[in-house]
Amino acid sequence: MAKQQQAIQAIRGMRDILPDQSPYWQWLEQNARQVLGSYGYQEIRLPIVEKTELFKRSIGEVTDIVEKEMYTFDDRNGDSLTLRPEGTAGCLRACLEHGLLHNQTHRLWYYGPMFRHERPQKGRYRQFYQLGVETYGMPGPDVDAEMILLTDRLWKKLGIRDKVELQLNSLGTSAERAAYREVLVEYFKQHVDVLDEDSLRRLETNPLRILDSKNPDMQFMLRDAPVLLEHLGEESLQHFNSLKSMLDELGISYQLNTRLVRGLDYYGKTVFEWVTDELGAQGTICAGGRYDGLIEQLGGKANHAIGFAMGMERILALVEQLDTVTLEPSVDVYLIRVGAAAETAGLLLSEQLRDQIDGLKLQVNCGGGSFKSQFKKADKSGAAFAIIIGDDEAQRGEAALKSLRIEQEQTTLSHAALLETLKTWHHNKSLA
Ligand code: HAM
C-alpha cells in the first residue's frame, strides 16, 4: 500500500483567507473603493515582482526592509528580482515609465499583497495586503489634508473612527534632516551607554530611526533628544503649520509625534500614521507621507508626491473586535431537488430565475441527499427561501416555496408565480 504523504502546509506568515472570512474582506474592499471613488481616485494595477534595484534605490539601502526583509531571488536570466515589500516604488516606476507625470496631477490607488520577511506575530505577516494611495504633481498642503480627510471618512464608514488616532510629524527637507542628523548623533554619542545593539548600529547608518525605538530602557534618554521640528526651515514649517491649521478648521484632531520618522527613507515634510491601542504591538493601521524627492531619485523630473498605505489585516482585526459588521448571507434562495424528474427540471428553473432576476443568489443542491438532509443544508446556507422540486412538481411545472426565516406556510406555485414572488422580494431587498 502506498505510504500516506505528509500534507504540505502554507509558508509561515502567509495566511489563507477562508470563505467565512472573505465576506469581511469584500466588505472592506467595497467601502474603500467607494470612498476612494468619492474623491476621484483611479485604480492602477501593478506587478507583484519588480527589479530589486527599484526598492534599494527608493526605500533605502540601510532600512530594515531592504537590509533584512525582502524576498529577493535571481530569475532564470540571472536578474535580481524582489517580491514587492510595498507599493509606492512600483507605482512611481510605472508612472515614470508611462509618462504620466508630465504637467499632470494624478490621484491613484492600488491594492494587493506585499511581502516582507518579518517575524510573524498577530497583525504582522510575511504576506499581507495593503491598499495604497499615491498622488503626484501637488505641492500641498491641501492634498496632504485631503489624504487625511479621506482616511478619516473611511474609518467612520467602517465604524472604527473612535478607535484610531492620527499622529503627525514633519521630516523637513533632506538638507534640514542632514543638519539635524549631526545634532542628533552628537546627542546620542553623549548617551552611548544607554543605546542598545540595534541603536548602536543605526548610529552610523540611520540615526533618526533610533527615535522610533520601543526599548523601555531608552525612553528616558529619547524623551530629551533634540527635536527635528525645531530644526526645520521656514518653508517646511510653513507647510506643516498650514496643514495643521487646515486640520484644526476641518475638525480633525491629531497628536503631534515629534519622534515619528517612518521606516522608509523616501519621506520628507509631512508624515502621518493612524494608530490604535486595541491591537497590541502592531497598532499602526495606516501610514504614509510626502516623498517629493523620490521622483528625481528614480530618474524623473522634480515633482511632488504624497501617499499612504493601510494594512488590511489590521483594519479587519479591529473591525472584528468591535463586532459591528453584519454581513448579508451569501445565498438568497436554496433549491432542493428530490427524484429523477426533478434533477434537470430544477437546473432549468434555476437558470430561468437567474435570467430573470439580476443579482439573485441562488444555490442549487448538488450531490443528492434525502429531502431532510437537503433541507438542513438550505437552512445552514442562510438563505431566505427554499425552493423544493419533487417529481410531482416537476411534472406539473410547479415548485414549492418555503420561507426559512419567517413563520409562513409552504406554498406551491407555478413557475411564473414563483418568479413574480421572488422578483418582488429581491427588489424590496435591494431597496432596503
Ligand atoms: P509602511 O508603514 O511600511 O508604509 O506600511 C503601511 C501599512 O502596512 C502599515 O501601517 C501596516 O498597517 C501595514 N503593514 C506593514 N507591514 C505589515 C506586515 N508585515 N503585516 C501586516 N501589515 C503590515 C508603506 O508601505 C508605504 N509604502 C506607505 C506609503 C504609500 N507612503 C507613501 N505612499
Side-chain angles (χ1 to χ4, degrees):
M1 210 171 80
K3 205 171 132 225
Q4 198 180 357
Q5 299 280 332
Q6 210 176 10
I8 297 170
Q9 300 202 321
I11 297 164
R12 196 162 114 82
M14 303 203 178
R15 304 190 316 154
D16 300 305
I17 297 161
L18 300 178
D20 64 337
Q21 281 298 308
S22 55
Y24 291 96
W25 284 77
Q26 287 162 1
W27 168 85
L28 174 55
E29 289 155 9
Q30 268 158 20
N31 275 299
R33 274 203 181 92
Q34 201 261 325
V35 170
L36 286 159
S38 73
Y39 288 79
Y41 281 74
Q42 289 179 299
E43 184 181 5
I44 181 164
R45 298 191 183 199
L46 302 160
I48 286 174
V49 187
E50 297 274 0
K51 291 186 181 149
T52 304
E53 180 61 20
L54 176 70
F55 301 116
K56 286 193 176 167
R57 242 208 266 174
S58 52
I59 299 170
E61 295 264 8
V62 291
T63 54
D64 282 353
I65 297 180
V66 171
E67 270 184 336
K68 43 188 190 193
E69 294 170 1
M70 294 205 302
Y71 281 89
T72 297
F73 59 96
D74 285 348
D75 77 354
R76 287 174 193 278
N77 304 328
D79 298 327
S80 179
L81 305 182
T82 293
L83 298 186
R84 61 182 184 189
E86 58 105 53
T88 307
C91 189
L92 184 50
R93 193 265 316 134
C95 289
L96 288 172
E97 192 169 331
H98 298 284
L100 298 193
L101 300 190
H102 299 299
N103 301 323
Q104 298 172 48
T105 61
H106 282 283
R107 287 175 162 85
L108 303 175
W109 66 271
Y110 50 83
Y111 174 60
M114 308 290 160
F115 303 84
R116 295 183 194 175
H117 196 275
E118 295 190 79
R119 196 167 47 79
Q121 63 179 84
K122 184 170 170 266
R124 191 164 69 191
Y125 308 101
R126 289 182 175 171
Q127 173 172 333
F128 59 97
Y129 285 78
Q130 275 188 351
L131 193 149
V133 166
E134 314 291 352
T135 71
Y136 305 109
M138 293 168 269
D142 50 357
V143 69
D144 306 23
E146 184 189 83
M147 298 238 129
I148 289 167
L149 283 171
L150 185 159
T151 41
D152 176 78
R153 180 175 293 275
L154 180 61
W155 313 146
K156 284 184 187 141
K157 216 166 158 39
L158 303 177
I160 56 172
R161 180 62 188 91
D162 57 348
K163 299 289 169 198
V164 290
E165 178 193 88
L166 175 65
Q167 298 199 345
L168 203 59
N169 195 17
S170 173
L171 299 182
T173 62
S174 55
E176 287 155 6
R177 277 195 306 287
Y180 167 71
R181 186 186 154 123
E182 282 182 25
V183 180
L184 191 64
V185 168
E186 202 45 50
Y187 174 81
F188 285 144
K189 281 189 172 158
Q190 286 161 22
H191 297 86
V192 81
D193 49 321
V194 200
L195 295 181
D196 57 19
E197 202 183 316
D198 233 17
S199 305
L200 284 171
R201 197 172 46 85
R202 283 179 167 151
L203 192 56
E204 303 301 327
T205 54
N206 201 348
L208 266 70
R209 284 288 282 162
I210 300 177
L211 293 172
D212 230 11
S213 167
K214 302 283 178 293
N215 183 343
D217 299 335
M218 285 171 44
Q219 297 311 307
F220 194 70
M221 177 275 292
L222 288 175
R223 218 164 295 148
D224 288 337
V227 170
L228 173 54
L229 267 185
E230 288 164 12
H231 292 77
L232 295 190
E234 181 113 7
E235 207 245 313
S236 295
L237 265 184
Q238 203 181 5
H239 186 112
F240 195 49
N241 289 337
S242 310
L243 171 62
K244 286 191 298 174
S245 357
M246 278 182 203
L247 294 178
D248 289 338
E249 277 186 55
L250 292 161
I252 307 266
S253 57
Y254 53 84
Q255 194 75 36
L256 200 60
N257 178 357
T258 55
R259 278 164 49 189
L260 180 67
V261 289
R262 308 279 298 122
L264 306 94
D265 276 357
Y266 46 63
Y267 293 107
K269 293 191 178 158
T270 311
V271 286
F272 63 94
E273 290 193 356
W274 285 97
V275 296
T276 176
D277 51 16
E278 313 254 330
L279 294 178
Q282 306 306 322
T284 305
I285 62 160
C286 172
R290 191 160 270 285
Y291 54 95
D292 296 342
L294 184 60
I295 304 182
E296 271 183 296
Q297 227 166 292
L298 290 186
K301 275 216 291 226
N303 204 330
H304 303 280
I306 179 168
F308 65 83
M310 52 184 109
M312 303 297 271
E313 287 84 357
R314 295 186 190 176
I315 296 175
L316 283 170
L318 194 55
V319 167
E320 226 165 85
Q321 253 179 23
L322 301 176
D323 210 14
T324 45
V325 190
T326 40
L327 296 172
E328 263 199 30
S330 54
V331 180
D332 295 324
V333 180
Y334 194 95
L335 195 144
I336 294 171
R337 298 169 300 160
V338 189
E343 288 280 306
T344 313
L347 283 179
L348 200 59
L349 174 63
S350 71
E351 287 305 309
Q352 284 163 351
L353 291 172
R354 290 190 191 100
D355 284 346
Q356 301 288 329
I357 312 176
D358 205 24
L360 182 73
K361 294 181 282 187
L362 193 161
Q363 192 169 92
V364 175
N365 186 89
C366 286
S370 67
F371 173 75
K372 203 170 149 197
S373 79
Q374 292 194 44
F375 199 80
K376 258 195 196 154
K377 283 194 213 159
D379 194 36
K380 207 168 153 213
S381 74
F385 296 100
I387 296 176
I388 303 141
I389 306 191
D391 286 342
D392 285 354
E393 284 89 356
Q395 263 143 29
R396 289 200 300 267
E398 291 175 345
L401 184 68
K402 169 85 181 139
S403 169
L404 297 171
R405 307 293 146 205
I406 42 177
E407 205 57 52
Q408 225 167 41
E409 281 289 300
Q410 179 172 318
T411 48
T412 301
L413 303 167
S414 67
H415 287 185
L418 177 73
L419 174 66
E420 277 321 303
T421 308
L422 289 178
K423 218 180 209 171
T424 309
W425 175 82
H426 191 253
H427 179 71
N428 291 341
K429 190 186 111 179
S430 13
L431 294 180

